[in-house]
Amino acid sequence: PQEETAVFSIGWVKNRRWDHPLLGYLDKTSSSPKWRNVLSLAKFPWMKDHVVLDVPVLPMAGFVNIAMEVARQYKSSGLNKLEVLRALSFPDENTVLLLETSLNEDTREIIIRSKSNGEWTQHCKCTLAPEYSNVKSPEWDSLPICEETKILENFYEETSRFAFDFGGCFRQFSEIKRN
């Protein structure tokens, strides 16, 4: 995969524009908006701290972050119907993935997929919400107030029982509030 990715990246490196660390570069040679990036544990070592079933994976928040950056660039108010279809995993330390995020401007659908060993895998899809100008601002005073706080004494130990192992980068919660 490293050789394939390197050969692929030469074609668009001259026309690239830095957009976002996970989203990557806008491919200006494409007829529709596409961003490309190369992902590896060496490039994003914090992913080693997000392990499911003994394999590092991109957190769901990573997909949300990528899609929200597309929404920001297209002046959308957010995302609708975000679906994570398959984990983006790094089965070994040397795994290198080509990440491609595309936007269909007619349907406003975002697709996030990766290529490894010549195979494309679709990981996430969603649609852009309406543009900013079409959205009413929330009434902040009417939002519910959190009434219960739970101290997380054994939260991370409990999640590990279900094959979710979080390292230091992902052990930041000390309490959770709910209403």
Side-chain angles (χ1 to χ4, degrees):
Q2 288 175 323
E3 292 171 12
E4 181 179 49
T5 302
V7 170
F8 181 82
S9 66
I10 291 169
W12 51 273
V13 74
K14 292 180 184 176
N15 296 318
R16 71 184 184 189
R17 177 174 66 93
W18 180 254
D19 288 313
H20 184 272
L22 284 174
L23 179 63
Y25 302 100
L26 179 63
D27 180 357
K28 293 183 179 182
T29 64
S30 177
S31 60
S32 61
K34 278 188 184 157
W35 295 261
R36 296 205 166 113
N37 202 356
V38 177
L39 300 184
S40 68
L41 295 176
K43 186 175 179 182
F44 297 102
W46 52 265
M47 281 194 279
K48 293 177 192 175
D49 281 348
H50 194 268
V51 177
V52 177
L53 298 173
D54 298 323
V55 178
V57 297
L58 178 70
M60 183 176 172
F63 293 119
V64 173
N65 191 268
I66 291 167
M68 285 300 294
E69 178 59 19
V70 173
R72 185 194 67 78
Q73 290 185 26
Y74 278 80
K75 296 182 176 40
S76 171
S77 60
L79 306 171
N80 290 326
K81 299 180 184 174
L82 185 127
E83 293 180 62
V84 177
L85 307 168
R86 188 160 191 180
L88 193 154
S89 61
F90 297 85
D92 63 60
E93 190 76 26
N94 299 317
T95 300
V96 177
L97 301 172
L98 173 64
L99 186 74
E100 179 182 270
T101 303
S102 60
L103 171 65
N104 180 319
E105 291 179 292
D106 294 330
T107 64
R108 301 177 61 84
E109 183 176 51
I110 298 170
I111 301 286
I112 301 172
R113 64 186 192 151
S114 71
K115 187 176 187 181
S116 178
N117 298 322
E119 298 274 328
W120 284 103
T121 301
Q122 185 173 333
H123 299 282
C124 182
K125 67 180 182 176
C126 62
T127 55
L128 292 178
E131 293 183 9
Y132 292 133
S133 61
N134 300 333
V135 177
K136 183 181 174 190
S137 297
E139 299 293 332
W140 294 109
D141 294 337
S142 67
L143 294 176
I145 297 172
C146 293
E147 297 172 357
E148 180 184 341
T149 300
K150 177 159 178 63
I151 305 299
L152 301 175
E153 295 173 7
N154 298 319
F155 175 75
Y156 296 107
E157 290 73 22
E158 290 294 320
T159 59
S160 69
R161 290 185 356 184
F162 299 99
F164 291 95
D165 295 314
F166 299 108
C169 290
F170 292 91
R171 286 184 175 244
Q172 302 299 317
F173 291 117
S174 60
E175 63 182 34
I176 294 177
K177 294 183 179 185
R178 69 178 183 164
N179 62 353

